Amino acid sequence: MHTPQEKKASILSNLTTQILIAMLLGGILGIVIHNTISAETALVFSEKIKILATVFIRLVQMIISPLVFTTLVVGIAKLGNVSTVGRIGGKALGWFFTASFLSLLLGMFFVNLLEPGEGLNLSNVDLASASDVAEKTKSISFENFIEHIVPKSIFEAMATNEILQIVVFSIFFGLAAASIGDFAKPVVNALDKTSHIILKMVNYVMNFAPIGVFGAIAGVFAVRDFQELAITYFKFFGSFLIGIASLWVLLIAVGYLFLKSRMTVLLKRIVSPLIIAFGTTSSEAVFPKLTEELERFGVKDKIVSFMLPLGYSFNLDGSMMYMTFASIFIAQAYGVHLDIGTQLTMLLVLMLTSKGIAGVPRASLVVVAATCGMFDIPIEGIALILPIDHFCDMFRSATNVLGNALATSVVGQWEEGNDDAVTAE
């Protein structure tokens, strides 16, 4: 009998193989079209074949609103009494948001320094699949950003996929549910079950990824030179690895700053969870093992049980860096200029919209799609990066595990003087 983790790894491996085959077949078809027919006919072919990618993109957009709402509400409500967890929650959120913002800044620095998307002019690619999002996207100013956060109606926000507004409503809803306590449990349990159904839908949607990749790659290769695109993929993945390596150096250095020599022990403890997350591209798969190893490391079980679920919603260091890379890379590839002010605004958007969807392989693509739509960046660009997303996902999933292990250990050390207060709860 195979364990659930082994089955999940097998499914992901099979999907990755299908995506790689689809990329290869799409590339071959696109190259043949590019080299055998006129440019005008190739452009028409490109527009038609990319309908496959458009269908996949719309399926991704379909699950954004319910996914954010259910997972974020459940994550907050399960924290318990707000006044009781306020002290630890304050420290945790302070750490999470600081680490997330530093990850975003580091990603923004390297993608602007290395410019992996520059020189890939895809301005002639049909933008029809992004039109439904682009229509409702305003020019992002500070005033519009503030107004964009607060919803007039949660139903309107969900109907139009206004992710920031859904996040704000979910936070208020989750805090209210937590303050009511047992009375709200039936609602929270129902949303918890709903969130699992939505997460299962994500896996179903990803089964359409090979078809979307085939259409996107064939459409792009039909109008672009193979050498140019191959170099771009190499530049993107290489640039991302440089950024993720720098993030690991930063996280480990911070760990030694707070944990001193115990950081070496922690790294030895989490080797197995890191390898599992790397192989399965899912930090969720290592949740039980990571809990066990952190308790063996010496962190109180009540701290671990509080920090890890919160961290899986709010502390996605590797994913944050990747989302910065992917969003700005797509903008570079399509020739969409983003000044520093706009990029910093994007970082704030990513800080909010990324919360509450951890644990799902390739869930970062959902956030990237939403963010690109808000900034008038063609969202079919996520299909362009999907063929190498699995390999990026391996590194960012392992980084997420490292970040959560470090955050839990540091907060656990901070709370050593408050053990009685924690245990009393």
Side-chain angles (χ1 to χ4, degrees):
M1 294 293 292
H2 295 289
T3 65
Q5 288 82 2
E6 289 174 338
K7 289 181 179 178
K8 192 170 189 177
S10 176
I11 292 172
L12 290 173
S13 177
N14 184 49
L15 179 61
T16 300
T17 301
Q18 293 176 20
I19 289 175
L20 292 175
I21 293 174
M23 177 187 67
L24 179 62
L25 294 177
I28 292 173
L29 177 61
I31 291 172
V32 171
I33 294 295
H34 180 72
N35 292 326
T36 57
I37 63 177
S38 66
E40 293 77 10
T41 308
L43 182 58
V44 172
F45 169 83
S46 176
E47 293 171 350
K48 300 299 182 182
I49 196 69
K50 282 197 277 86
I51 293 176
L52 297 176
T54 301
V55 171
F56 170 67
I57 295 299
R58 291 181 69 88
L59 287 171
V60 172
Q61 290 177 308
M62 174 185 69
I63 59 178
I64 290 176
S65 295
L67 182 62
V68 171
F69 175 70
T70 55
T71 54
L72 191 52
V73 167
V74 170
I76 295 174
K78 283 189 173 181
L79 297 180
N81 187 288
V82 177
S83 61
T84 300
V85 303
R87 181 188 70 254
I88 305 174
K91 293 177 181 178
L93 292 178
W95 178 283
F96 292 162
F97 278 92
T98 300
S100 294
F101 194 67
L102 288 176
S103 300
L104 287 167
L105 281 177
L106 202 58
M108 175 180 152
F109 170 77
F110 278 105
V111 77
N112 280 287
L113 176 67
L114 302 173
E115 297 184 332
E118 290 294 336
L120 180 60
N121 181 15
L122 300 177
S123 57
N124 61 336
V125 176
D126 177 40
L127 305 183
S129 60
S131 60
D132 57 338
V133 177
E135 284 175 359
K136 62 185 179 64
T137 304
K138 298 179 180 179
S139 176
I140 303 297
S141 65
F142 178 77
E143 293 78 8
N144 284 333
F145 177 72
I146 297 300
E147 292 175 358
H148 196 74
I149 292 177
V150 183
K152 293 185 296 184
S153 164
I154 182 58
F155 300 105
E156 179 186 15
M158 285 189 165
T160 55
N161 261 349
E162 296 286 355
I163 304 303
L164 282 176
Q165 297 178 12
I166 297 171
V167 168
V168 170
F169 180 85
S170 301
I171 290 174
F172 277 98
F173 194 100
L175 289 175
S179 67
I180 292 175
D182 290 344
F183 185 76
K185 277 189 176 180
V187 175
V188 175
N189 289 337
L191 288 176
D192 191 15
K193 290 179 173 61
T194 302
S195 70
H196 282 84
I197 295 173
I198 301 299
L199 295 180
K200 190 66 175 178
M201 286 179 64
V202 173
N203 292 331
Y204 291 155
V205 167
M206 284 302 162
N207 289 329
F208 290 88
I211 299 174
V213 167
F214 175 80
I217 297 301
V220 172
F221 276 43
V223 294
R224 305 303 303 177
D225 290 330
F226 168 74
Q227 292 86 349
E228 180 182 2
L229 292 172
I231 292 173
T232 298
Y233 281 125
F234 176 78
K235 286 173 62 180
F236 176 81
F237 189 58
S239 300
F240 173 72
L241 290 184
I242 292 173
I244 211 73
S246 301
L247 181 56
W248 272 64
V249 171
L250 177 62
L251 289 173
I252 293 174
V254 170
Y256 276 106
L257 178 65
F258 286 100
L259 301 176
K260 311 299 182 184
S261 59
R262 297 183 68 220
M263 183 62 190
T264 303
V265 180
L266 176 63
L267 289 174
K268 291 179 180 178
R269 283 288 183 193
I270 64 173
V271 166
S272 177
L274 286 173
I275 293 175
I276 295 173
F278 185 83
T280 62
T281 67
S282 174
S283 54
E284 185 185 51
V286 306
F287 190 95
K289 181 67 174 176
L290 186 59
T291 299
E292 177 185 345
E293 293 297 343
L294 288 173
E295 290 177 359
R296 288 181 179 178
F297 176 67
V299 184
K300 296 295 182 181
D301 57 352
K302 287 185 176 291
I303 298 292
V304 175
S305 63
F306 175 85
M307 286 290 297
L308 277 188
L310 189 62
Y312 270 59
S313 287
F314 287 87
N315 193 38
L316 308 169
D317 300 334
S319 296
M320 298 296 275
M321 167 167 282
Y322 178 79
M323 288 185 286
T324 308
F325 251 83
S327 300
I328 299 179
F329 166 79
I330 293 170
Q332 291 175 350
Y334 282 90
V336 179
H337 175 69
L338 302 174
D339 57 36
I340 296 300
T342 304
Q343 290 187 33
L344 290 174
T345 303
M346 179 183 285
L347 261 59
L348 295 176
V349 171
L350 287 169
M351 179 77 77
L352 294 174
T353 57
S354 63
K355 307 311 177 189
I357 62 166
V360 184
R362 301 182 178 90
S364 299
L365 291 175
V366 175
V367 178
V368 171
T371 304
C372 286
M374 290 183 61
F375 287 84
D376 284 328
I377 302 169
I379 59 175
E380 68 264 28
I382 69 168
L384 183 66
I385 63 175
L386 191 55
I388 56 172
D389 179 71
H390 177 81
F391 304 104
C392 295
D393 204 357
M394 296 168 77
F395 289 94
R396 67 177 183 254
S397 295
T399 306
N400 291 340
V401 171
L402 174 64
N404 278 315
L406 178 59
T408 303
S409 300
V410 172
V411 172
Q413 180 169 285
W414 288 345
E415 286 296 312
E416 284 181 358
N418 297 302
D419 285 347
D420 294 339
V422 175
T423 306
E425 304 299 340

